[in-house]
Amino acid sequence: MAMRDRTSVPRRCVIGGAVLALTVATGCGGGGTEDGAADTSCERASGKVTLQYWSWVPGMQQAVDAWNSDHPDIQVKLRTTPAGNAGTYQNLSNALKADKAPDLGQIEYDSLASFRLKNGLRDIAECPGVTGAEPEFADWTWSQVDFGADGEDGVWAIPQDTGPMALFYRKDVFDRLGLKAPTTWQEYEADARVLRKAGKYITHFSQTDPNWFTGLLWQNEATLFERDGDTWKVTVDRPESRQVADYWQRLIDDKLVATDLQGFSPALYKAWNSGEVVTWVSAAWGYSTIRDNAKSTAGKWAVAPMPQWREGEQRAGNWGGSTTAVLAGSEHPAEAAEFALWLNTDAEALEILNREGGLYPAAKAGLDLPALAEPVDFYGGQKVFDVFARASAHVDTDFTWGPTMTDTYRYLSDGTAEATGGRTTLGEVLKRTGEQSADSLREQSLDVTGG
């Protein structure tokens, strides 16, 4: 299964365009030589090597074990970390400043440019096998790791997965209340009111998942940034975004969503298990999050397309999708790049990461995994990845990331906490986040309009 036209998209998309302007502002990044130039050499070590790798993918240790078994001279030590914005990115930033960063780190597409901007990534274009691997990945994902510059600007990570979004819902609860999977957001709100009368919340609204909210904006074609040459336009506060914000603000005001549950928390998992919270608009990888943390509900969940803003449409958002990046300061970039390539192209590794972590592969070969076509017992025997295949075909690949997304996400997260606490509204959060994001870009000496 492939995103619509993703294997033939000629555009230089998403964060790709972002960093063409960053080379002037930051140099080439990713380490340097005595004269200050970027160090792009990639020589293999003469002896045994041990690599440090940070990732939050469930089951990643199994993939690492498989690698270590077959590569005695290149051993990988895994550190399991929180999801990116839940702690890993801040920890990586701190480690980079202290020259104690791991060799490899899991970094989502939307945050690559931020790490590039702070010189936190290693250019691996000269590492064996890297540039030749481009045809093995969906075009749009590779354009995000070479920043859309046809390789002229280097290669800064290896694509891992994508995050097309759909609706996970408790089919047993919906059936008992005479509800069907909502096809529009209007139906979703109506269902929320029925569910609330039954003592349940249709979903939670997390303060700590700004990239989830961004996925909702993405579905409504509400890109946060636009770029014209070397000039950035901040478009966080736009009509399409306001439509999404006003909708969810109404659900918050009417107490139809749980606002005291954070994403990926024990409290949320308890609410799933008890049936207090009965849907989650999430990405393909979310199937393992529910499976592993709401085990008592096996067989009761199903997956449906995202509700639509206009009846009959089939738009989907994207939440996440990661890369395996070699970080600045790694003493073994060749071996790190070799592991990153294996992890995201090897048939055994792809199978493990899909089975254990629910990853929807960026590698073209991974889209033919038998597991993606099989019924899933936890979801009542539904072939859930069929839903995500259709969602993939309707994700707008022209969505544009800004070069300081970690800042933008922080502003969104802080504002969301205030909105769910009743101290402001999501509409005001968009306005303020746009202004703050524009200031963040100006602080990096980038040309900015809007905000």
Side-chain angles (χ1 to χ4, degrees), residues 87 138 177 299 407:
L177 295 174
D407 288 344

Side-chain angles (χ1 to χ4, degrees), residues 131-381:
T131 55
E134 178 177 357
E136 298 185 47
F137 296 90
D139 290 358
W140 81 274
T141 63
W142 194 266
S143 72
Q144 296 200 40
V145 300
D146 74 356
F147 296 131
D150 294 321
E152 296 177 4
D153 191 40
V155 178
W156 303 91
I158 301 298
Q160 183 166 92
D161 71 311
T162 63
M165 297 173 73
L167 175 70
F168 295 88
Y169 71 103
R170 279 285 297 272
K171 188 175 186 302
D172 63 320
V173 174
F174 273 63
D175 287 347
R176 188 164 65 248
L177 295 174
L179 303 175
K180 297 182 180 180
T183 60
T184 66
W185 287 112
Q186 292 84 353
E187 291 178 3
Y188 188 81
E189 180 177 348
D191 290 348
R193 298 185 184 281
V194 173
L195 288 161
R196 194 71 202 102
K197 289 179 180 179
K200 302 181 182 300
Y201 290 107
I202 196 166
T203 194
H204 69 292
F205 196 97
S206 174
Q207 304 168 10
T208 56
D209 293 326
N211 37 1
W212 167 77
F213 187 67
T214 300
L216 300 179
L217 300 178
W218 191 332
Q219 183 203 21
N220 203 31
E221 298 184 300
T223 187
L224 306 180
F225 299 87
E226 296 175 1
R227 184 171 179 271
D228 183 11
D230 290 334
T231 300
W232 284 94
K233 182 178 182 181
V234 179
T235 58
V236 174
D237 185 17
R238 59 189 298 162
E240 297 87 351
S241 300
R242 284 278 178 154
Q243 182 181 15
V244 177
D246 291 347
Y247 174 87
W248 286 96
Q249 186 64 52
R250 184 167 62 252
L251 268 59
I252 291 171
D253 290 343
D254 292 350
K255 297 179 171 50
L256 300 178
V257 294
T259 57
D260 59 346
L261 300 174
Q262 303 312 322
F264 311 99
S265 68
L268 175 61
Y269 301 150
K270 181 180 179 180
W272 284 345
N273 276 292
S274 69
E276 180 186 5
V277 173
V278 296
T279 80
W280 188 29
V281 182
S282 187
W285 46 260
Y287 110 105
S288 63
T289 306
I290 298 176
R291 179 199 64 192
D292 296 344
N293 296 287
K295 294 181 180 180
S296 68
T297 63
K300 298 179 180 179
W301 291 83
V303 182
M306 283 184 77
Q308 299 295 306
W309 288 104
R310 289 162 287 278
E311 189 171 358
E313 291 188 340
Q314 301 182 62
R315 300 185 185 279
N318 187 86
W319 178 11
S322 295
T323 70
T324 307
V326 179
L327 298 177
S330 173
E331 296 180 359
H332 306 291
E335 290 78 9
E338 181 180 351
F339 170 73
L341 283 169
W342 174 88
L343 183 66
N344 298 305
T345 60
D346 179 81
E348 180 183 9
L350 292 174
E351 190 276 331
I352 291 172
L353 296 182
N354 173 257
R355 183 187 70 235
E356 301 298 327
L359 298 194
Y360 191 84
K364 295 174 184 177
L367 301 179
D368 295 324
L369 288 173
L372 295 183
E374 294 176 357
V376 180
D377 290 342
F378 185 89
Y379 292 93

Side-chain angles (χ1 to χ4, degrees), residues 375-437:
V376 180
D377 290 342
F378 185 89
Y379 292 93
Q382 182 183 2
K383 296 181 178 180
V384 297
F385 284 103
D386 286 352
V387 180
F388 291 107
R390 293 191 293 272
S392 302
H394 299 287
V395 173
D396 177 14
T397 58
D398 286 324
F399 190 88
T400 302
W401 305 115
T404 56
M405 281 303 300
T406 51
D407 288 344
T408 297
Y409 280 156
R410 186 173 70 256
Y411 306 143
L412 274 176
S413 183
D414 291 346
T416 299
E418 294 184 19
T420 55
R423 298 187 297 278
T424 188
T425 66
L426 291 175
E428 286 302 308
V429 171
L430 290 177
K431 181 176 183 295
R432 189 169 63 192
T433 297
E435 294 169 348
Q436 292 171 314
S437 295

